[in-house]
């Protein structure tokens, strides 16, 4: 499983150039989704006017399917106020746009979990648009229209302060969640260590459990009637049989 730092690093280049408040929100979104068992990748952040125009031409004057109706200057991406995302798959190198996926098994679609977290942070979702829905898209516009942004307007101090207060509160919540996750992971590590120690003690020969060939011990145990079949034996049962065999308890005449 990827660590949170590894997941965040995969989105780092796409976060460059975002408005500082949007950057903070996107970072907390990654953290909160990770804490909920749904790692994500930010696939798009700031998009230049030239990049927007090139994207607009896709499916029109250039090969491909139409993915946007916005020319340069007519997307919130062009002002660092929008991000796109995808679900990060367990291998850490592939992504998915499968909106029906439920990898964490909580009976809630992973995509919807991400959307819910984004909305809590103050993002608007492209999936709520009435036409040309953009399901991977989130934007935080501070009440500004694209016309105002093209004219040079900037988010007000009040709007940014309100957004920051929400983001900071949710960031503290995710810190608490991550702390609990780290505690649980530490417990699991200790349990694994204890289990490994028990398995090693059961193996009288001193070899690691996975290296044992139980055939000789099983054959001897069956010969004296200690067991009737070698099928469906747990690792613990096999280790006990091996231990008894090593101690010489399966000599003929012993039962």
């Amino acid at each position: 499983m990827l660590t949170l730092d590894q997941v965040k690093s995969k989105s780092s280049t796409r976060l460059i150039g975002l408005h500082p408040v949007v950057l903070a929100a996107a970072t907390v979104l990654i953290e909160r989704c990770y804490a909920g068992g749904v790692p994500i990748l930010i696939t798009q952040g700031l998009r230049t006017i030239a990049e927007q125009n090139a994207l607009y031409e896709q499916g029109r004057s250039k090969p491909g399917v139409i993915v946007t109706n916005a020319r340069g200057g007519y997307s919130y991406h062009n002002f660092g106020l929008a991000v796109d995302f995808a679900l990060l798959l367990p291998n850490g190198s592939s992504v998915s746009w499968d909106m029906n996926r439920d990898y964490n098994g909580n009976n809630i679609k992973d995509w919807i979990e991400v959307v819910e977290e984004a909305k809590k942070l103050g993002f608007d979702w492209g999936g709520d648009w009435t036409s040309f829905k953009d399901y991977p898209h989130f934007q935080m516009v501070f009440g500004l229209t694209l016309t105002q942004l093209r004219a040079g307007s900037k988010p007000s101090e009040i709007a940014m302060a309100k957004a920051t207060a929400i983001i900071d509160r949710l960031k503290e919540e995710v810190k608490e969640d991550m702390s609990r996750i780290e505690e649980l992971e530490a417990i699991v590590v200790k349990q694994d260590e204890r289990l490994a120690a028990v398995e090693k003690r059961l193996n009288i020969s001193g070899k690691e459990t996975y290296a044992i060939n139980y055939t000789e011990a099983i054959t001897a145990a069956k010969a004296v009637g200690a067991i009737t079949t070698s099928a469906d034996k747990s690792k613990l049962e096999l280790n006990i049989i091996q231990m008894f065999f090593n101690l010489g308890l399966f000599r003929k005449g012993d039962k």
Side-chain angles (χ1 to χ4, degrees), residues 153-184:
S153 296
K154 304 291 183 184
S156 69
E157 294 294 332
I158 293 176
M160 289 191 294
K162 288 181 178 179
T164 299
I166 294 171
I167 295 165
D168 287 346
R169 176 173 56 80
L170 294 176
K171 184 174 184 178
E172 288 304 313
E173 287 183 9
V174 78
K175 283 182 179 178
E176 295 176 3
D177 291 340
M178 290 306 301
S179 178
R180 286 193 289 270
I181 289 172
E182 289 171 358
E183 290 175 2
L184 290 173

Side-chain angles (χ1 to χ4, degrees), residues 10-16 18 22 26 41-48 51-52 55 67-68 75-78 80-86 97 123 134 136-139:
K10 292 182 177 295
S11 295
S12 59
T13 57
R14 302 296 185 183
L15 300 177
I16 296 172
L18 289 175
V22 178
L41 177 74
I42 300 302
T43 59
Q44 280 282 294
L46 175 67
R47 193 182 295 146
T48 66
E51 289 170 338
Q52 186 68 40
L55 195 62
V67 293
T68 182
S75 168
Y76 284 102
H77 279 286
N78 305 150
L81 300 180
V83 296
D84 294 339
F85 83 97
W97 285 270
F123 280 113
D134 192 351
H137 179 91
F138 299 127
Q139 61 187 38

